[in-house]
Amino acid sequence: MKRNKIALSGIALLGVGGLTLAGCAGGGSTDDGTDEGATSAAIITTNGSEPENPLIPTATNEVGGGKILDAIFAGLVSYEADGTPVNDMAEEITVDDPQNLTVKIKEGQYFTDGEEVTADNFINAWNYGALASNAQYNSYFFEDIEGFSYDEDSELTGLEQVDDYTFTIALNKPASDFALRLGYSAYYPLPDAAFEDMAAFGENPIGNGPYMLDGEGAWQHDVQIDLVKNEDYQGADLLGGTVDVIDAIPPSALASFESDLGERAVNQPAAVFQSFTIAQNLPHFEGEEGQLRRAAISMAINRDEITETIFQGTRTPASDFTSPVIDGWSDSLEGAEVLEYNPEQAVELWAQADAISPWEGTFQIAYNADGGHDQWVDAVSNSIKNTLGIEASGAPYPTFAELRELVNSRTITTAFRTGWQADYPGLYNFLGPLYASNAGSNDGDYSNPEFDDLIAEGISSTDPAAANELFQQAQSVLLQDLPALPLWYSNVTGGYAETVENVEFGWNSVPLYHQITKAE
């Protein structure tokens, strides 16, 4: 059989500096019409990054691992290019009322070890992800289900199996976008084999999605991971050709990639937000002094100049904490002027903070050196240094995993780069998981009861317009406190070979691999 393979490799291995996006040649035909050289045919080589953790859906909240999980697992729903949810594993999802849902799964869908996907696979996976002792990064996504507890091991009593293919979800409070969330990786099912040895499973996961690992040794850590077509997946049609696709043009090529690739260049808005975080406990960044210094630093950053010179216009200066491609986005929030370059006001605010406690030391922004962040970090640091007259610089760490280890253990002593690629196309997703008290991705340990109350009221509203208004009010609180400093929204910048057709990038910047076909 001809096999379709994806090699998700590190960007340094792709030779993207020259933008050579050649596909790999397939083997010749045999007498019976099948292809020789099957394992090298129809290869898509795309960029990626080493996952921070083993490939367990509830343990992964970063892009490198998420891209792979989205290829090898399938959830109850998936999202079209514009973010519209469509049923995948689910036959039907019924919102009985704002706190109760009924999910019916399609019969005859399988994990790659042959186990059929049933209601239990979702219930067991979600209970594992929610269990406090399992310390899963994505446990926050089960917070709204009855029985959830941050403090002790507690079964999600809101999950109840009706029959082999049907289960109900009872929420402990209204969550108007809960059905929309169900395509995110935290809600993927797990096979029974996962619970025999979760650590081993994370190194060689068994999924139910369009692709699966290509045997033992498929994941070559820090090099690449090889995936092949899952013949049993019953979702959209898979690719039928050969292509290299890239979804992250490096800064050195941004000036020329559109002219080099012509109509094969991709430069479109995506649900990706970039920032850096100053933890609440850092010296000089607590209380009133910290609020003044955060605002001063924000106003000291010339976002327009940096997005134009470093990113060649492929980034847009941020005016909020979300993304322009998400319904409810606004560029006129109360307090958004703190995100505008205003050197005079920045100096004045810094002086007010010095009157509380004189500044000493160097302001640094930590980043992973393997992610191509050095240019913008240097530019932001220089903008802060030149405006405020303080020492400011980047603090590089060799790998993403090393940086995240310090962030997750709360031992990092500097500001650090952060960002968000949306899990599902909803405004709340940019706010609750990052800034709600105790949220799983609240890296700076921010907590403000006013913000918490506003997003809780918003997510409980069944009127989308009213909910978005409350989310906008919540963002005005964030603009006062600046738990993270918004920088810019990212476009997806990529390209593809001239031998393929139907290449489309989704709302979240990820190529829709299953749609790609080879041009005759």
Side-chain angles (χ1 to χ4, degrees):
M1 294 289 294
K2 181 176 180 179
R3 297 193 294 169
N4 296 328
K5 178 184 289 186
I6 297 180
L8 291 171
S9 60
I11 193 167
L13 303 178
L14 295 176
V16 295
L19 295 172
T20 302
L21 301 172
C24 300
S29 296
T30 62
D31 291 339
D32 62 2
T34 59
D35 285 344
E36 296 176 339
T39 58
S40 64
I43 297 175
I44 300 174
T45 302
T46 186
N47 58 294
S49 57
E50 174 70 6
E52 178 187 358
N53 300 300
L55 294 171
I56 301 167
T58 51
T60 299
N61 65 351
E62 43 80 29
V63 175
K67 179 184 286 187
I68 301 168
L69 288 174
D70 289 344
I72 63 178
F73 284 92
L76 293 169
V77 302
S78 58
Y79 304 107
E80 294 183 345
D82 63 356
T84 301
V86 294
N87 287 341
D88 196 341
M89 291 290 107
E91 180 176 307
E92 185 178 16
I93 299 175
T94 304
V95 179
D96 303 310
D97 61 56
Q99 287 186 232
N100 292 277
L101 300 86
T102 300
V103 176
K104 182 173 179 56
I105 300 168
K106 299 171 186 172
E107 298 183 27
Q109 302 181 109
Y110 297 90
F111 292 99
T112 56
D113 65 350
E115 179 187 348
E116 188 177 12
V117 180
T118 67
D120 265 346
N121 297 114
F122 286 94
I123 293 172
N124 293 338
W126 296 9
N127 269 302
Y128 177 86
L131 210 62
S133 62
N134 288 333
Q136 299 292 283
Y137 288 143
N138 282 331
S139 64
Y140 176 80
F141 284 90
F142 306 103
E143 181 187 51
D144 292 331
I145 301 176
E146 284 186 359
F148 178 86
S149 172
Y150 279 114
D151 302 320
E152 60 185 6
D153 284 351
S154 177
E155 183 181 359
L156 294 176
T157 56
L159 301 180
E160 183 175 343
Q161 181 181 354
V162 177
D163 57 43
D164 285 348
Y165 305 102
T166 308
F167 68 101
T168 57
I169 306 170
L171 305 179
N172 51 41
K173 56 183 177 295
S176 57
D177 70 351
F178 196 85
L180 182 64
R181 303 177 193 178
L182 294 176
Y184 177 50
S185 57
Y187 300 106
Y188 287 158
L190 289 175
D192 292 344
F195 302 98
E196 297 172 5
D197 186 339
M198 193 63 75
F201 178 84
E203 292 296 319
N204 191 25
I206 298 165
N208 62 317
Y211 297 95
M212 60 185 182
L213 270 69
D214 190 16
E216 292 293 330
W219 185 0
Q220 302 171 51
H221 286 280
D222 297 307
V223 180
Q224 70 180 45
I225 187 165
D226 295 332
L227 308 179
V228 295
K229 176 183 175 182
N230 174 13
E231 301 290 349
D232 293 325
Y233 176 64
Q234 299 178 28
D237 291 340
L238 295 172
L239 65 129
T242 301
V243 60
D244 277 355
V245 178
I246 186 171
D247 62 9
I249 301 295
S252 60
L254 289 175
S256 60
F257 85 103
E258 290 184 284
S259 59
D260 288 346
L261 292 177
E263 63 181 12
R264 293 182 289 111
V266 177
N267 182 10
Q268 67 187 48
V272 180
F273 164 85
Q274 299 290 336
S275 60
F276 66 87
T277 294
I278 307 173
Q280 302 294 303
N281 63 347
L282 288 187
H284 296 289
F285 286 99
E286 298 182 69
E288 182 184 359
E289 180 193 358
Q291 193 172 51
L292 289 167
R293 293 203 188 280
R294 286 183 171 84
I297 289 171
S298 180
M299 290 183 171
I301 301 169
N302 193 334
R303 294 168 177 80
D304 289 305
E305 182 177 81
I306 293 170
T307 53
E308 186 57 40
T309 57
I310 300 296
F311 295 113
Q312 303 294 318
T314 61
R315 307 289 189 273
T316 303
S319 58
D320 81 330
F321 288 79
T322 67
S323 165
V325 306
I326 302 297
D327 180 52
W329 173 81
S330 173
D331 62 355
S332 56
L333 296 175
E334 181 181 352
E337 62 273 6
V338 76
L339 304 182
E340 298 173 3
Y341 181 53
N342 189 335
E344 293 81 11
Q345 182 70 8
V347 170
E348 181 178 335
L349 293 173
W350 195 258
Q352 292 177 26
D354 277 343
I356 297 174
S357 176
W359 173 261
E360 55 186 25
T362 299
F363 181 79
Q364 290 192 299
I365 303 172
Y367 66 96
N368 52 302
D370 62 352
H373 301 288
D374 54 333
Q375 286 185 300
W376 74 257
V377 172
D378 287 345
V380 167
S381 299
N382 286 334
S383 190
I384 295 169
K385 176 180 179 180
N386 294 336
T387 300
L388 299 178
I390 64 173
E391 289 300 316
S393 64
Y397 289 83
T399 66
F400 180 72
E402 289 173 85
L403 172 61
R404 291 303 305 177
E405 181 180 0
L406 293 176
V407 173
N408 292 331
S409 65
R410 302 302 193 259
T411 56
I412 195 161
T413 58
T414 68
F416 50 93
R417 81 159 191 91
T418 45
W420 194 250
Q421 178 173 315
D423 305 314
Y424 60 90
L427 206 64
Y428 178 83
N429 183 239
F430 283 87
L431 304 176
L434 278 75
Y435 310 115
S437 298
N438 300 314
S441 295
N442 187 345
D443 291 333
D445 294 326
Y446 172 70
S447 181
N448 185 317
E450 182 182 3
F451 173 80
D452 290 344
D453 289 346
L454 285 166
I455 61 169
E457 186 179 354
I459 202 60
S460 299
S461 174
T462 57
D463 179 352
N468 286 337
E469 174 62 29
L470 289 162
F471 294 146
Q472 291 170 8
Q473 293 177 31
Q475 288 198 77
S476 292
V477 177
L478 296 182
L479 288 166
Q480 293 176 7
D481 296 343
L482 292 176
L485 275 66
L487 293 173
W488 39 75
Y489 315 116
S490 294
N491 280 14
V492 54
T493 54
Y496 52 93
E498 58 189 6
T499 56
V500 297
E501 297 177 341
N502 301 319
V503 178
E504 187 174 14
F505 284 65
W507 60 279
N508 61 349
S509 82
V510 178
L512 304 183
Y513 296 111
H514 61 272
Q515 292 186 179
I516 300 172
T517 56
K518 182 178 180 180
E520 295 297 332

